[in-house]
């Protein structure tokens, strides 16, 4: 990444302290000199191998020497003080750089050097450096440990009292995991003052009972907060029974958390006051900040190392018994429990709080992220992963600051706890206009769905569906598969439930004869047990309990769904069939869910005998969707993580050189011409049909004679810059059989398109096969997205596509091949020959590598890709490049 050194960023140290990382230069001469002059003799000797009064001056002169090729220095500062410095200088071989790092006394073992080296390595990679070289004393265990713990491959060579270290800068999974682990530790520690504050001050709690600040103050006070609580008011001595002081500086102790509920114009000034006083976290509920006010607020937080929730939010809560903090203006206190909730919308937050309360699902922590200037869903996932008691995570995110980092975090967290979200922003209004098939296919819904699917996040369409699923996951074990036994005391209700299961992608299989006999032996006369199981209106509690228990223990199905309607028979005999379901002997190996059409609430959790609960739904469709989500989670957990293979024969260097050359001549970017497109695809081994470029009629005829296939026929395609959809423009001729037809076709294209046409592409007529579509679009927020599906002229009309975010694992590629509705065509549908699946897998992996290597790649569009039993071939290809700096989504930095 190159941008970070030009624009300073903030990042967290291991102890949660915020530091500013920026490029060092001439203005830092005195600070660098002071950094070394204040070091102990021992630390100076470790850095320079000797103790010399001149060392500090020489080091300062080197940093202040100004920009020069092959040299880069990064500074870390906190509170305006230089606390660390890292430098590299490229050696004559051009691929290796000598590196050094220095940390101020008093700042050791806090992660300063490691953080600087991560950022310096990122800058070095962007400059083409592949390795760092460093010489250190063998007794300098701290520096050797820093290099070792980076997660990069390191080799050491001992030469007397010195050690020569070589650090390879290649980012692999081991390095990303090490960076991720360091970031998780720092992030969680930095959130402690926010979510486990020892003291809280509310600023803006007016005397009027109706103010937001006063409502928050009252909730904290009445919620039995375990720490010290203060109000800040210029005149009042107490507000709502809470001691008040005229300013933050006048408080008897510095609060960890300050809640700011003042008018927008005053927020930044109050934040500065909090920072100067030593406050470590802010919760800003104020809304309506303009751009200048927003920048000033975030600037104050960064300058003073304060984490920030908001602005424009509902507040936050932590029900842990050692905290008991309800800093929200919600109508009632959240009950304690194990569900973590983070939302951007305050309204959605209130709806989720109310819904969870009705279900009896308590909260561990609740955070309304609001405008999400700092603390995000990513932060909260890491908090829940580490807090020791959250076992269910619910998210509502309208935007993603760093979706690739979020995806990586969510993928890890979802392995241990379910992560649920509402898929907001699915409407067509969110779709951006685009020219190519790939960009048109990559709708916001498809992109978000790819993120959620790959990360193992359960994405629902509505808040109601989210609560339905949360109820099931909270109350029941995961199903082992998608097979459902439907049990009902009314045939029609059973049919509706079975239909709902089928619509949700579940399977209602016929039961084996032996199991049918066992069930019929338990049930009243007239019952049927083929699945759905009709227990009849005459069933009593004991028989229903035995029936459901047998199915839940038997391996023939993975879930038991029971639909019960009230009957006069049960009323007359006093039988309580619902009680029968809540008293099935536990523990159960498989989930049991209930559908009660007469139930007023959409979903309830019914207390079960012996502990636990049973989810009951008023509609079979809601129940079936919840079961389908649970089954999808079980499927995802059962899958291995997948691997990203390295395609053979890739020439990344040549591809990057081509990209640089094109953008040098086209600073605004644009579409590659056919020759450049073919060259770029060749760099990644993407198979293309033979072709030739013809500038005039004669060259077209000569090319046709060379390229004519077995049947002698060729294709002519017009080309000019900006031409995208040749079929719509009628800019091609197919099946030309001889020179005269080629001449006539060329003349027709010239007559219709004139000087716009710069030439034609000549290709042999392709053999028959399945027309597919494959492409890449670089989403500005989500990164590269690989799209695959049905191709040809109707690709957009039929919209039969699947997508996954790059880089693709082997499992991602499998999903892409099997998800579109057209996938049976690839596996030999109706006796037709199967496509070469290995070649298709290679195509998708190579597109993924292309997209990952070149951030300048805006769009790649292969349509159609002809797939047959003997291989695949791209018949048409378009590539668009735009100027874009590399950006490492996993580099540690705050928003």
């Amino acid at each position: 990444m190159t941008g970070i050194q030009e624009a300073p960023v903030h990042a967290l140290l291991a102890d949660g302290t915020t530091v500013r990382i920026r490029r060092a230069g001439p203005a830092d001469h005195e600070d660098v000199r002071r950094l070394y002059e204040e070091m102990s003799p021992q630390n100076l000797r470790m850095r320079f191998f000797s103790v010399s009064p001149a060392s500090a001056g020489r080091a300062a002169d080197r940093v202040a020497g100004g920009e020069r090729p092959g040299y880069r220095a990064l500074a870390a500062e906190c509170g305006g003080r230089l606390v660390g410095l890292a430098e590299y200088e490229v050696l004559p071989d051009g691929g290796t750089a000598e590196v050094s790092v220095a940390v101020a006394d008093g700042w050791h073992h806090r992660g300063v050097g490691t953080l600087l080296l991560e950022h310096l390595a990122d800058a070095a990679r962007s400059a083409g450096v592949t390795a760092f070289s460093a010489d250190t004393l063998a007794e300098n265990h701290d520096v050797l440990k820093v290099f070792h713990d980076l997660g990069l491959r390191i080799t050491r060579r001992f030469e007397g009292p010195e050690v020569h270290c070589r650090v390879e800068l290649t980012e692999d999974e081991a390095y990303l995991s090490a960076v991720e682990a360091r970031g998780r530790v720092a992030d969680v520690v930095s959130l402690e003052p926010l979510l486990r504050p020892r003291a809280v001050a509310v600023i803006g709690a007016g005397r009027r009972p109706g103010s937001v600040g006063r409502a928050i103050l009252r909730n904290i006070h009445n919620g039995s907060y375990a720490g010290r609580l203060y109000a800040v008011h210029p005149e009042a001595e107490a507000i709502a029974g809470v001691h008040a002081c005229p300013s933050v500086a006048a408080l008897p102790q510095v609060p960890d958390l300050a809640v700011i509920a003042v008018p927008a114009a005053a927020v930044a000034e109050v934040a500065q006051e909090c920072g100067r006083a030593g406050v470590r976290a802010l919760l800003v509920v104020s809304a309506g900040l303009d751009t200048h006010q927003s920048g000033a607020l975030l600037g104050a937080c960064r300058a003073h190392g304060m984490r920030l929730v908001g602005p424009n939010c509902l507040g936050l809560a932590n029900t842990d018994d050692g905290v008991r903090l309800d800093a929200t203006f919600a109508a009632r206190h959240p009950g304690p429990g194990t569900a973590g909730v983070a939302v951007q919308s305050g309204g959605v937050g209130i709806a989720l709080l109310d819904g969870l309360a009705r279900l009896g699902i308590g909260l561990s922590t609740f955070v309304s992220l609001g405008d999400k200037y700092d603390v995000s869903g990513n932060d909260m996932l890491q908090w829940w992963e580490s807090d020791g008691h959250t076992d269910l995570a619910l998210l509502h995110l309208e935007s993603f600051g760093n979706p690739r980092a979020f995806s990586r975090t969510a993928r890890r967290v979802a392995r241990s706890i379910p992560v649920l979200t509402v898929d907001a922003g699915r409407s067509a209004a969110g779709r951006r206009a685009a020219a190519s098939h790939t960009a048109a296919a990559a709708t916001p819904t498809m992109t978000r769905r790819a993120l959620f699917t790959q990360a193992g996040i359960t994405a629902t369409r509505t808040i109601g569906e989210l609560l339905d699923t949360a109820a099931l996951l909270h109350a029941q074990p995961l199903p082992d598969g998608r097979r459902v036994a439907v049990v009902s005391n009314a045939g029609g209700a059973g049919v509706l439930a079975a239909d709902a299961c089928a619509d949700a992608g579940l399977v209602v299989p016929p039961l084996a004869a032996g199991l049918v006999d066992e069930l019929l032996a338990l049930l009243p006369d007239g019952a049927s047990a083929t699945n759905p199981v009709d227990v009849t209106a005459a069933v009593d509690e004991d028989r229903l309990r035995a029936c459901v228990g047998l199915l839940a223990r038997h391996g023939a199905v993975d879930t038991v769904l029971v639909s019960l309607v009230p009957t006069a028979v049960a009323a007359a005999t006093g039988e309580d069939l619902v009680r029968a379901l809540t008293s099935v002997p536990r523990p159960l190996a498989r989930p049991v869910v209930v559908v009660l059409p007469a139930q007023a609430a959409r979903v309830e959790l019914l207390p079960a005998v012996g502990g636990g609960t049973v989810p009951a739904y008023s509609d079979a469709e809601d129940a079936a969707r919840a079961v389908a989500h649970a089954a999808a989670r079980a499927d995802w957990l059962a899958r291995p993580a997948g691997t990203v293979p390295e395609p053979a024969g890739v020439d990344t260097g040549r591809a990057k050189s081509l990209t640089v050359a094109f953008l040098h001549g086209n600073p605004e970017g644009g579409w590659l011409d056919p020759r450049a497109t073919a060259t770029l695809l060749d760099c990644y081994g993407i198979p293309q049909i033979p072709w030739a470029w013809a500038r005039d009629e004669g060259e077209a005829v000569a090319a046709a004679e060379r390229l004519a296939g077995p049947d002698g026929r060729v294709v002519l395609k017009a080309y000019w810059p900006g031409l995208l959809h040749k079929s719509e423009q009628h800019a091609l001729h197919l099946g030309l059989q001889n020179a005269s037809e080629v001449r006539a076709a060329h003349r027709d294209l010239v007559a219709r398109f004139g000087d716009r046409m710069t030439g034609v592409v000549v290709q042999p007529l392709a053999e028959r096969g399945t027309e597919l579509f494959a492409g890449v679009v670089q989403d500005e927020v989500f990164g590269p997205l690989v799209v695959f599906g049905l191709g040809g002229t109707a690709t957009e009309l039929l919209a039969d596509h699947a997508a996954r975010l790059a880089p693709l694992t082997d499992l991602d590629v499998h999903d892409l091949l099997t998800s579109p509705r057209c996938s049976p065509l690839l596996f030999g549908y109706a006796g037709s020959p199967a496509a070469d699946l290995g070649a298709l897998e290679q195509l998708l992996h190579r597109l993924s590598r292309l997209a990952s290597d070149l951030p300048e790649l805006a769009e790649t569009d292969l349509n159609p890709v002809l797939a047959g039993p003997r291989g695949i071939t791209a018949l048409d290809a378009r590539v668009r490049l735009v100027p874009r700096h590399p950006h490492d989504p996993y580099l540690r930095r705050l928003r």
Side-chain angles (χ1 to χ4, degrees):
M1 183 210 86
T2 59
I4 175 198
Q5 284 75 29
E6 315 309 327
V9 300
H10 293 82
L12 296 171
L13 299 182
D15 62 359
T17 301
T18 300
V19 294
R20 183 172 181 253
I21 299 177
R22 58 172 178 80
R23 191 164 185 170
D28 296 300
H29 186 279
E30 287 306 305
D31 287 337
V32 173
R33 183 179 58 79
R34 190 179 303 111
L35 172 75
Y36 288 110
E37 287 179 345
E38 293 177 352
M39 280 187 184
S40 68
Q42 174 69 359
N43 285 337
L44 274 178
R45 189 175 72 83
M46 291 298 168
R47 170 64 183 86
F48 296 111
F49 294 18
S50 64
V51 180
S52 168
S55 297
R58 287 196 298 266
D61 291 342
R62 183 175 60 253
V63 173
E67 286 196 31
R68 53 194 184 275
Y71 176 78
R72 179 64 60 96
L74 294 182
E77 58 187 10
C78 182
R81 178 192 173 191
L82 183 68
V83 299
L85 179 73
E87 309 165 73
Y88 77 70
E89 187 138 23
V90 177
L91 298 174
D93 69 2
T96 306
E98 188 173 20
V99 66
S100 66
V101 61
V103 177
D105 283 9
W107 285 79
H108 288 226
H109 308 295
R110 299 173 69 178
V112 176
T114 300
L115 185 62
L116 280 169
L117 285 173
E118 287 178 18
H119 283 261
L120 195 68
D122 185 67
R125 290 186 201 99
S126 296
V129 176
T130 59
F132 279 159
S133 172
D135 292 315
T136 186
L137 293 174
E139 61 186 287
N140 194 347
H141 303 297
D142 285 347
V143 164
L144 291 173
K145 187 175 189 314
V146 166
F147 284 136
H148 177 271
D149 292 348
L150 276 174
L152 296 168
R153 190 165 66 87
I154 181 172
T155 55
R156 299 176 181 178
R157 187 178 71 251
F158 288 84
E159 297 177 353
E162 298 179 13
V163 182
H164 176 75
C165 300
R166 179 179 173 85
V167 182
E168 304 294 337
L169 300 186
T170 303
E171 283 187 303
D172 57 15
E173 181 58 31
Y175 176 67
L176 293 179
S177 295
V179 172
E180 188 177 39
R182 290 191 287 268
R184 179 167 68 251
V185 169
D187 198 45
V188 170
V189 172
S190 77
L191 295 176
E192 285 279 343
L194 183 75
L195 295 172
R196 289 192 180 121
R198 293 163 299 180
V200 176
V202 179
I203 307 166
R207 294 173 173 176
R208 292 184 299 104
S211 72
V212 169
R214 188 182 179 96
I216 293 175
L217 183 69
R218 185 176 58 250
N219 270 354
I220 298 174
H221 184 55
N222 295 342
S224 301
Y225 170 51
R228 300 294 300 273
L229 175 62
Y230 305 100
V232 174
H233 192 281
E235 300 171 356
E237 294 184 358
I239 299 176
V242 176
H243 176 62
C245 293
S247 65
V248 177
L251 291 171
Q253 71 181 98
V254 178
D256 288 330
L257 171 64
V259 180
I260 299 179
V262 301
V267 167
E269 181 182 347
V270 172
Q272 284 285 3
E273 181 187 1
C274 291
R276 288 191 295 268
V279 174
R280 299 171 62 197
L282 298 183
L283 168 62
V284 179
V285 298
S286 308
L289 278 69
D290 61 25
T291 302
H292 173 74
Q293 293 161 348
S294 299
L297 168 61
L298 190 56
C301 290
R302 294 293 177 254
H304 297 286
M306 299 181 291
R307 297 307 305 267
L308 167 67
V309 165
N312 186 25
C313 68
L314 176 66
L316 62 85
N318 185 344
T319 66
D320 184 274
D321 195 51
V323 183
R324 299 192 303 275
L325 174 65
D326 179 10
T328 73
F329 54 93
R332 55 183 171 182
H333 299 299
T338 57
V341 177
V343 297
Q344 277 190 258
S345 163
V348 171
I350 291 172
L352 284 177
L353 290 175
D354 288 347
L356 292 170
R358 285 196 303 272
L359 289 170
I361 299 176
L363 300 185
S364 59
T365 43
F366 167 83
V367 177
S368 171
L369 301 168
D371 292 339
K372 210 170 62 168
Y373 286 8
D374 177 26
V375 174
S376 66
N378 205 33
D379 296 297
M380 294 311 303
L381 285 175
Q382 296 188 102
W383 176 268
W384 294 326
E385 180 186 27
S386 306
D387 71 2
H389 55 272
T390 298
D391 62 13
L392 180 66
L394 281 69
L395 297 171
H396 172 264
L397 302 176
E398 297 168 352
S399 62
F400 294 87
N402 188 343
R404 297 183 75 182
F406 172 81
S407 176
R408 187 176 177 87
T409 299
R411 192 182 307 222
R412 184 188 71 246
V413 175
R415 288 284 169 190
S416 56
I417 63 174
V419 180
L420 283 67
T421 189
V422 179
D423 185 9
R426 302 186 310 271
S427 66
R431 182 171 178 168
R432 69 182 179 90
S436 77
H437 294 299
T438 307
T443 64
T445 300
M446 177 172 285
T447 307
R448 294 168 67 94
R449 193 171 294 152
L451 170 68
F452 296 146
T453 299
Q454 288 172 272
I457 296 173
T458 300
T460 65
R461 297 176 63 86
T462 65
I463 294 173
E465 187 179 334
L466 181 74
L467 292 169
D468 293 339
T469 309
L472 177 58
L473 294 177
H474 177 76
Q476 296 287 299
L478 289 175
D480 292 329
R482 294 178 173 270
R483 301 168 303 170
V484 179
V486 174
V487 179
S488 176
N489 65 342
V495 171
L496 291 175
D499 289 345
C501 289
D503 291 343
L506 302 171
V507 178
V508 182
L511 303 179
L515 178 56
V516 170
D517 291 342
E518 287 186 71
L519 289 169
L520 291 178
L522 296 172
L523 297 173
D525 292 341
S528 65
T530 54
N531 203 13
V533 177
D534 183 356
V535 298
T536 77
V539 73
D540 58 26
E541 289 184 42
D542 291 339
R543 292 183 178 189
L544 180 60
R545 183 185 304 111
C547 170
V548 172
L550 174 59
L551 289 168
R553 292 189 303 272
H554 201 282
V557 295
D558 306 300
T559 301
V560 182
L561 187 152
V562 185
S563 181
L564 297 176
V565 298
T567 67
V569 176
T573 58
E575 296 288 341
D576 186 345
L577 300 184
V578 174
R579 183 172 58 203
L581 300 178
T582 59
S583 58
V584 175
R586 282 166 169 71
L588 296 174
R590 293 166 184 82
V592 173
V593 299
V594 186
V595 176
L596 302 175
Q599 178 177 282
R602 174 177 174 135
V603 58
E604 290 185 4
L605 288 177
L606 308 177
V609 175
T613 54
V614 177
Y617 303 86
S618 62
D619 193 311
E621 292 189 356
D622 297 336
R625 277 192 294 265
V627 172
H629 284 308
R633 171 163 173 75
D635 289 344
W636 184 82
L637 288 172
R639 299 177 70 180
T643 58
V644 178
E646 289 288 333
V650 170
D651 192 344
T652 303
R654 186 183 178 203
K656 290 186 174 181
S657 297
L658 184 154
T659 300
V660 170
F662 176 81
L663 292 175
H664 179 75
N666 302 269
E668 301 300 317
W671 295 92
L672 298 184
D673 63 35
R675 284 170 291 195
T677 297
T679 301
L680 182 62
L681 297 182
D682 280 341
C683 291
Y684 289 87
I686 294 173
Q688 305 165 69
I689 195 168
W691 68 282
W693 175 252
R695 293 167 296 181
D696 55 34
E697 182 179 311
E699 289 186 359
V701 171
E705 291 174 351
R706 285 196 317 272
L707 294 174
D711 61 359
R713 293 186 293 174
V714 297
V715 176
L716 245 63
K717 299 178 180 180
Y719 173 78
W720 64 84
L723 173 63
L724 296 178
H725 304 312
K726 299 179 185 68
S727 297
E728 294 178 7
Q729 300 269 0
H730 303 289
L732 74 167
H733 285 276
L734 305 174
L736 306 176
Q737 300 189 59
N738 51 50
S740 61
E741 289 188 4
V742 172
R743 292 183 186 278
H746 190 276
R747 290 169 186 169
D748 171 69
L749 295 174
V750 170
R752 287 192 291 119
F753 303 120
D755 293 341
R756 276 193 301 167
M757 193 175 77
T758 57
V760 296
V761 172
V762 184
Q763 297 173 339
L765 186 67
E767 297 180 6
R768 296 185 59 139
T770 302
E771 289 192 354
L772 301 171
F773 163 86
V776 172
V777 61
Q778 189 84 230
D779 189 280
E780 290 291 342
V781 175
F782 289 81
L785 187 78
V786 179
V787 185
F788 175 78
L790 187 65
T793 56
T795 183
E796 290 175 28
L797 176 65
L798 298 177
D800 183 17
H801 308 117
R804 292 293 184 270
L805 293 167
L808 300 180
T809 67
D810 51 347
L811 297 179
D812 294 330
V813 166
H814 175 269
D815 289 345
L816 283 175
L817 294 178
T818 55
S819 294
R821 297 187 303 277
C822 69
S823 63
L825 298 175
L826 308 179
F827 295 89
Y829 178 73
S832 62
D836 186 339
L837 297 178
L840 282 172
E841 290 171 352
Q842 277 293 308
L843 171 66
L844 294 174
H845 281 304
R846 291 174 184 277
L847 280 174
S848 170
R849 175 67 181 272
L850 169 64
S852 299
D853 282 351
L854 301 179
E856 301 89 350
L857 183 74
E859 299 172 51
T860 299
D861 194 355
L862 307 181
N863 184 38
V865 172
L866 199 68
R870 294 190 300 274
I872 63 160
T873 305
L875 304 188
D876 202 46
R878 289 182 291 277
V879 173
R880 184 167 69 91
L881 300 178
V882 296
R884 184 183 283 121
H885 288 302
H887 174 83
D888 185 350
Y890 308 117
L891 188 64
R892 288 195 287 155
R893 59 196 151 201
L894 293 170
R895 292 163 62 90

